[in-house]
Amino acid sequence: MEALDLVQANLLSPMVLAFALGITATLLKSDLRLPESLYTALSTYLLLAIGLKGGVAIAKTQLSDLLLPAIATIALGIAIPIWCFALLRKVGKFSIPDAAAIAAHYGSVSAVTFTASQAYLDRLGVSYEGFLPALVALLEIPGIVVAIYLAQRSGRKAKSWREVLHEVVTGKSVLLLLGGVAIGALAGPRGVEQVAPFFIAPFTGVLTLFLLDLGVVAGGHLRDLRRAGAFLIGFGIVMPIAHGALGVTLGHWAGLSHGGSMVFGTIAASASYIAAPAAVRMALPEANPGYYLTAALAITFPFNLILGLPIYEALARVLAN
């Protein structure tokens, strides 16, 4: 498929259209919004299902195949928040708490964007490594801890890095991902078959419903774009492209396939809006949510969902050939 055909196919996918419907509902001042309890249930389902699939793949994967991708993942989790923090402080002139908070979101990962990248490749008929959900769980933690540590080192008092690490690891999203990976790895393919009709078959439909609600949330932050300023809007678009290109390249270097490199680039390009906001609220309460939530959810997430996925797939295809 040509690049424009790929973009058009992505724009017309049920997931992207559901996200657009949510934004439209907000702009029209509709009362459309999922109950908070249902949102919690959907996010719990998605995170546990992602972990289960990753755990099953790990059970079938040689450790040697996972080693280099895991090293690349940890390296990205450490490096991305460092240069994001420096850029936000020196060029963007953000305060220490705001720069650290935004860096934490971009150093971490969006599990929903990751899932969207897999669905995108499924539509194209491109295969990818099954252990990639384990890399998502691995990338969730370092970026948040490093960013908050940078805030400490830069002259403000925050919680100790041990407290921060405990809060991140025991937070709902990370615990569900890691727990799902452990369950899938221990149960193996035969064990997970028992719950496959619930956790595997309906997954894309649940994701579409979840994205509908995220569209409503993102629409509510559109008014914050003016306050965020041109720099943060540019940051929310340019950094995903840079991180996505770096991720695709590192994935190719680590031995991932065309599809695996594309997904790896996607998780590098994504910004967290589940785990990172919860950790930042606890460790950096003075950081402005209008900055980090707007950047992650109202700028970077839609960009990746609509344009980023075709860009990262095209780059992965070039490197694979």
Side-chain angles (χ1 to χ4, degrees):
M1 296 177 72
E2 297 294 333
L4 289 178
D5 293 332
L6 292 174
V7 173
Q8 183 179 14
N10 194 44
L11 287 173
L12 297 179
S13 70
M15 292 177 298
V16 173
L17 292 174
F19 183 77
L21 175 60
I23 293 178
T24 303
T26 301
L27 295 177
L28 294 176
K29 299 183 179 179
S30 167
D31 60 355
L32 174 64
R33 183 67 194 269
L34 298 185
E36 187 65 30
S37 57
L38 180 56
Y39 172 85
T40 301
L42 292 176
S43 61
T44 299
Y45 171 92
L46 290 172
L47 290 166
L48 186 57
I50 291 169
L52 280 172
K53 290 192 287 186
V56 170
I58 287 176
K60 301 186 294 184
T61 302
Q62 296 290 331
L63 180 61
S64 58
D65 294 333
L66 188 58
L67 183 59
L68 283 180
I71 292 173
T73 301
I74 294 172
L76 279 177
I78 294 172
I80 287 177
I82 291 176
W83 62 58
C84 282
F85 180 79
L87 185 63
L88 289 160
R89 285 285 292 149
K90 294 181 179 179
V91 182
K93 306 300 181 184
F94 284 86
S95 68
I96 290 172
D98 286 332
I102 298 169
H105 285 66
Y106 283 81
S108 188
V109 62
S110 163
V112 178
T113 308
F114 159 75
T115 306
S117 71
Q118 291 185 308
Y120 180 76
L121 289 178
D122 288 341
R123 292 199 308 275
L124 296 180
V126 177
S127 61
Y128 46 85
E129 287 76 3
F131 59 75
L132 292 170
L135 302 185
V136 175
L138 193 60
L139 187 60
E140 190 89 64
I141 300 171
I144 298 173
V145 176
V146 168
I148 297 175
Y149 175 75
L150 288 172
Q152 285 184 308
R153 294 281 297 181
S154 299
R156 69 169 301 279
K157 291 183 178 180
K159 298 184 179 183
S160 71
W161 69 267
R162 291 183 181 85
E163 290 178 293
V164 173
L165 181 61
H166 177 266
E167 289 170 350
V168 173
V169 172
T170 58
K172 180 183 74 172
S173 60
V174 175
L175 197 60
L176 283 169
L177 278 171
L178 293 177
V181 167
I183 292 170
L186 291 173
R190 183 171 299 179
V192 174
E193 278 182 8
Q194 302 174 50
V195 294
F198 181 78
F199 279 105
I200 308 301
F203 185 86
T204 305
V206 174
L207 176 61
T208 301
L209 189 58
F210 187 77
L211 284 172
L212 171 65
D213 193 58
L214 276 185
V216 175
V217 175
H221 285 284
L222 290 180
R223 65 176 69 92
D224 294 327
L225 289 178
R226 184 177 301 174
R227 181 174 59 177
F231 176 85
L232 192 57
I233 294 173
F235 181 92
I237 295 173
V238 173
M239 296 311 290
I241 296 175
H243 294 159
L246 177 60
V248 169
T249 304
L250 282 177
H252 179 73
W253 167 81
L256 295 178
S257 64
H258 162 200
S261 298
M262 180 271 185
V263 174
F264 192 71
T266 300
I267 65 174
S270 68
S272 172
Y273 46 81
I274 298 177
V280 164
R281 278 200 305 268
M282 290 184 288
L284 300 169
E286 66 273 48
N288 185 351
Y291 290 146
Y292 59 77
L293 285 180
T294 299
L297 189 55
I299 302 173
T300 295
F301 179 68
F303 171 80
N304 277 330
L305 201 63
I306 297 169
L307 296 176
L309 298 183
I311 292 173
Y312 313 140
E313 190 280 329
L315 178 57
R317 183 161 19 96
V318 169
L319 290 179
N321 293 331

